[in-house]
Structures are given as C-alpha cells and as structure tokens.
Amino acid sequence: MSQVTIDHAGSIREDNTTLLVGTKRFKRMYNPTGGTLAANTIVMEMPDAATYAGNEIDAANTDNLNYMAGVVDVAIPTLSWGEVQIGGYRTLISVESTTDIVIGDSLKGVNGQTYAVKDQARGTESTYQRHITALAARTDNDAGTIAGIIRCDGR
C-alpha cells in the first residue's frame, strides 16, 4: 500500500513523488540536462538514467519517444527537481501543427523537441501508450499551446 501524506492545502502526495490535485496528477522529476525545461513543454523519461532511474526527464529523442513523462508544470532549471503533470486536463500544452490538429487527435513527442504533434500514423488512436489527447484545434504550420488530456500515468 502507498504511503499518502498531505502535501499542502488541497493536495495529497503518494510515495513522496506523485502529487494529486483534483483530477490532475503530477510527479516530481529531475532535470539533468544542459538547459531549463520550460513550462507547458513535453518531456520524456530517460529510461537508462543512472542517477535517478525513472525520475529523470529530457526533451524527446529517438530512444525515448515511447516514454512520454508528461508536461512541465513550472520551468525546471538544470540539475533541479520540479513537477511534471502526468495525468488529467491541462489548458496549456506546447504543440506544433505541421499537420492540422483537431479535437480528439492523439498527440506524441518529436525527436529533439519539447512540443507535441499530431500522431499522423494513428489519428485518434495513439501509437504509444503514453500520449496526449487534443481538446482544441490548431491550424497547419502554427506553433503555440492547446488544451488536452494528458495520459502518461498508466490510467
């Protein structure tokens, strides 16, 4: 059974890593990279991380596209811990719409980037278990943010 503690008003922390706020889920994760990870950007777990296995994050690369961790809540500086939203509704998620995004599309990470794109191969069905479902549309070749449901917590 998980140890559950009250973290601050309205929040509960499970096992000192997962923060529950309403229907949103957050995980405390570590940024070992050479730069700050900006708020609202997509990050991936680093599956081969030696220092904090399962808790280190970085931008997407070809080795970790199926390990989407979620969306950075507040900017996480280099060599620091911060909150990553791993599940639930979010109003600001960084996207790039080389291909139009419509409501209901599955979104995935892109090699070398911290934004999500339409999963063109699958449409509304995701290629990866961990993904984001778009709740807003974005037009062709437009970068910005949209609302979505984050599905990176195995639920």
Short mmCIF file of all heavy atoms in Angstrom, two decimals, residues 23 68 71 85-91 93 105 107 131-136 146-152:
data_model
loop_
_atom_site.label_atom_id
_atom_site.label_comp_id
_atom_site.label_asym_id
_atom_site.label_seq_id
_atom_site.Cartn_x
_atom_site.Cartn_y
_atom_site.Cartn_z
N THR A 23 -8.45 16.26 -10.33
CA THR A 23 -8.33 15.13 -11.25
C THR A 23 -7.00 15.16 -12.00
O THR A 23 -6.79 14.39 -12.92
CB THR A 23 -9.48 15.13 -12.27
OG1 THR A 23 -9.45 16.37 -12.97
CG2 THR A 23 -10.81 14.95 -11.58
N MET A 68 6.93 9.14 -22.90
CA MET A 68 6.45 10.48 -22.58
C MET A 68 6.14 10.55 -21.09
O MET A 68 5.37 9.75 -20.57
CB MET A 68 5.21 10.86 -23.39
CG MET A 68 4.75 12.29 -23.14
SD MET A 68 3.20 12.72 -23.98
CE MET A 68 3.75 12.85 -25.67
N VAL A 71 3.85 16.87 -19.07
CA VAL A 71 4.03 18.28 -19.40
C VAL A 71 4.59 19.01 -18.17
O VAL A 71 4.07 18.87 -17.06
CB VAL A 71 2.69 18.92 -19.82
CG1 VAL A 71 2.85 20.39 -20.13
CG2 VAL A 71 2.11 18.18 -21.02
N GLN A 85 3.20 17.33 -14.96
CA GLN A 85 1.84 16.81 -14.96
C GLN A 85 1.81 15.54 -15.79
O GLN A 85 2.16 15.54 -16.96
CB GLN A 85 0.84 17.82 -15.50
CG GLN A 85 -0.59 17.33 -15.33
CD GLN A 85 -1.63 18.37 -15.69
OE1 GLN A 85 -1.34 19.55 -15.80
NE2 GLN A 85 -2.87 17.91 -15.85
N ILE A 86 1.41 14.43 -15.16
CA ILE A 86 1.42 13.12 -15.82
C ILE A 86 0.03 12.63 -16.18
O ILE A 86 -0.11 11.66 -16.91
CB ILE A 86 2.14 12.06 -14.96
CG1 ILE A 86 1.44 11.86 -13.62
CG2 ILE A 86 3.61 12.45 -14.77
CD1 ILE A 86 1.96 10.71 -12.80
N GLY A 87 -1.00 13.31 -15.68
CA GLY A 87 -2.35 12.87 -15.99
C GLY A 87 -3.37 13.96 -15.77
O GLY A 87 -3.17 14.87 -14.97
N GLY A 88 -4.46 13.90 -16.55
CA GLY A 88 -5.57 14.82 -16.37
C GLY A 88 -5.59 15.97 -17.36
O GLY A 88 -4.78 16.07 -18.27
N TYR A 89 -6.56 16.85 -17.14
CA TYR A 89 -6.80 18.00 -18.01
C TYR A 89 -5.75 19.08 -17.80
O TYR A 89 -5.34 19.38 -16.68
CB TYR A 89 -8.19 18.58 -17.72
CG TYR A 89 -8.48 19.86 -18.46
CD1 TYR A 89 -8.82 19.83 -19.81
CD2 TYR A 89 -8.40 21.08 -17.82
CE1 TYR A 89 -9.08 21.01 -20.50
CE2 TYR A 89 -8.67 22.27 -18.50
CZ TYR A 89 -9.00 22.21 -19.83
OH TYR A 89 -9.25 23.37 -20.51
N ARG A 90 -5.30 19.69 -18.90
CA ARG A 90 -4.36 20.82 -18.83
C ARG A 90 -4.75 21.83 -19.91
O ARG A 90 -5.02 21.45 -21.05
CB ARG A 90 -2.93 20.36 -19.03
CG ARG A 90 -1.92 21.49 -18.85
CD ARG A 90 -0.51 20.99 -18.78
NE ARG A 90 0.41 22.08 -18.51
CZ ARG A 90 0.81 22.46 -17.31
NH1 ARG A 90 0.37 21.83 -16.25
NH2 ARG A 90 1.64 23.47 -17.16
N THR A 91 -4.74 23.12 -19.56
CA THR A 91 -5.14 24.15 -20.52
C THR A 91 -4.01 24.56 -21.45
O THR A 91 -4.27 25.00 -22.57
CB THR A 91 -5.65 25.42 -19.80
OG1 THR A 91 -4.64 25.88 -18.90
CG2 THR A 91 -6.93 25.14 -19.05
N ILE A 93 -0.61 23.24 -23.35
CA ILE A 93 0.33 22.20 -23.77
C ILE A 93 0.97 22.67 -25.07
O ILE A 93 0.27 23.00 -26.03
CB ILE A 93 -0.40 20.85 -24.00
CG1 ILE A 93 -1.09 20.38 -22.71
CG2 ILE A 93 0.55 19.80 -24.54
CD1 ILE A 93 -2.05 19.23 -22.90
N ASP A 105 -7.62 14.29 -31.55
CA ASP A 105 -6.39 13.70 -32.08
C ASP A 105 -5.46 13.27 -30.95
O ASP A 105 -5.37 13.92 -29.91
CB ASP A 105 -5.62 14.71 -32.95
CG ASP A 105 -6.13 14.76 -34.37
OD1 ASP A 105 -6.91 13.88 -34.77
OD2 ASP A 105 -5.75 15.72 -35.09
N LEU A 107 -1.72 13.04 -29.61
CA LEU A 107 -0.50 13.81 -29.81
C LEU A 107 0.68 13.04 -29.24
O LEU A 107 0.56 12.36 -28.23
CB LEU A 107 -0.61 15.17 -29.11
CG LEU A 107 -1.82 16.02 -29.46
CD1 LEU A 107 -1.83 17.30 -28.63
CD2 LEU A 107 -1.87 16.33 -30.94
N HIS A 131 0.47 9.32 -24.09
CA HIS A 131 0.20 10.33 -25.11
C HIS A 131 -0.71 11.41 -24.54
O HIS A 131 -1.07 11.37 -23.37
CB HIS A 131 -0.44 9.68 -26.34
CG HIS A 131 -1.79 9.11 -26.07
ND1 HIS A 131 -1.98 7.89 -25.47
CD2 HIS A 131 -3.03 9.61 -26.30
CE1 HIS A 131 -3.28 7.65 -25.34
NE2 HIS A 131 -3.94 8.68 -25.82
N ILE A 132 -1.08 12.34 -25.39
CA ILE A 132 -1.98 13.43 -25.02
C ILE A 132 -3.13 13.44 -26.03
O ILE A 132 -2.91 13.22 -27.22
CB ILE A 132 -1.24 14.78 -25.05
CG1 ILE A 132 -0.15 14.78 -23.97
CG2 ILE A 132 -2.20 15.95 -24.87
CD1 ILE A 132 0.81 15.93 -24.07
N THR A 133 -4.34 13.68 -25.55
CA THR A 133 -5.50 13.81 -26.44
C THR A 133 -5.85 15.29 -26.56
O THR A 133 -6.05 15.97 -25.54
CB THR A 133 -6.70 13.03 -25.88
OG1 THR A 133 -6.33 11.65 -25.74
CG2 THR A 133 -7.90 13.15 -26.81
N ALA A 134 -5.90 15.80 -27.79
CA ALA A 134 -6.18 17.21 -28.04
C ALA A 134 -7.63 17.55 -27.71
O ALA A 134 -8.54 16.83 -28.10
CB ALA A 134 -5.89 17.55 -29.50
N LEU A 135 -7.82 18.66 -27.00
CA LEU A 135 -9.16 19.16 -26.71
C LEU A 135 -9.42 20.50 -27.41
O LEU A 135 -10.39 21.18 -27.12
CB LEU A 135 -9.35 19.33 -25.20
CG LEU A 135 -9.38 18.03 -24.40
CD1 LEU A 135 -9.59 18.34 -22.93
CD2 LEU A 135 -10.45 17.09 -24.90
N ALA A 136 -8.51 20.85 -28.31
CA ALA A 136 -8.65 22.08 -29.10
C ALA A 136 -7.98 21.85 -30.45
O ALA A 136 -7.14 20.97 -30.58
CB ALA A 136 -8.01 23.26 -28.38
N ILE A 146 -2.31 24.40 -26.69
CA ILE A 146 -3.72 23.99 -26.72
C ILE A 146 -4.05 23.27 -25.42
O ILE A 146 -3.16 22.89 -24.67
CB ILE A 146 -4.05 23.06 -27.92
CG1 ILE A 146 -3.28 21.73 -27.80
CG2 ILE A 146 -3.80 23.74 -29.24
CD1 ILE A 146 -3.76 20.67 -28.77
N ALA A 147 -5.33 23.05 -25.19
CA ALA A 147 -5.79 22.25 -24.05
C ALA A 147 -5.79 20.78 -24.45
O ALA A 147 -5.95 20.44 -25.63
CB ALA A 147 -7.18 22.68 -23.65
N GLY A 148 -5.61 19.93 -23.46
CA GLY A 148 -5.63 18.50 -23.74
C GLY A 148 -5.74 17.66 -22.47
O GLY A 148 -5.69 18.18 -21.37
N ILE A 149 -5.89 16.38 -22.69
CA ILE A 149 -5.90 15.40 -21.60
C ILE A 149 -4.57 14.66 -21.67
O ILE A 149 -4.27 14.02 -22.68
CB ILE A 149 -7.06 14.39 -21.74
CG1 ILE A 149 -8.41 15.11 -21.70
CG2 ILE A 149 -6.97 13.34 -20.63
CD1 ILE A 149 -8.78 15.71 -20.37
N ILE A 150 -3.81 14.74 -20.60
CA ILE A 150 -2.51 14.05 -20.52
C ILE A 150 -2.77 12.63 -20.04
O ILE A 150 -3.47 12.42 -19.04
CB ILE A 150 -1.56 14.79 -19.57
CG1 ILE A 150 -1.36 16.23 -20.06
CG2 ILE A 150 -0.24 14.05 -19.44
CD1 ILE A 150 -0.67 17.13 -19.06
N ARG A 151 -2.18 11.67 -20.74
CA ARG A 151 -2.36 10.25 -20.43
C ARG A 151 -1.00 9.57 -20.31
O ARG A 151 -0.66 8.70 -21.11
CB ARG A 151 -3.21 9.58 -21.50
CG ARG A 151 -4.58 10.23 -21.69
CD ARG A 151 -5.32 9.62 -22.87
NE ARG A 151 -6.56 10.31 -23.15
CZ ARG A 151 -7.71 10.10 -22.54
NH1 ARG A 151 -7.79 9.22 -21.58
NH2 ARG A 151 -8.78 10.77 -22.88
N CYS A 152 -0.24 10.01 -19.32
CA CYS A 152 1.12 9.47 -19.15
C CYS A 152 1.30 8.75 -17.83
O CYS A 152 2.41 8.44 -17.42
CB CYS A 152 2.14 10.61 -19.25
SG CYS A 152 2.13 11.43 -20.85
#
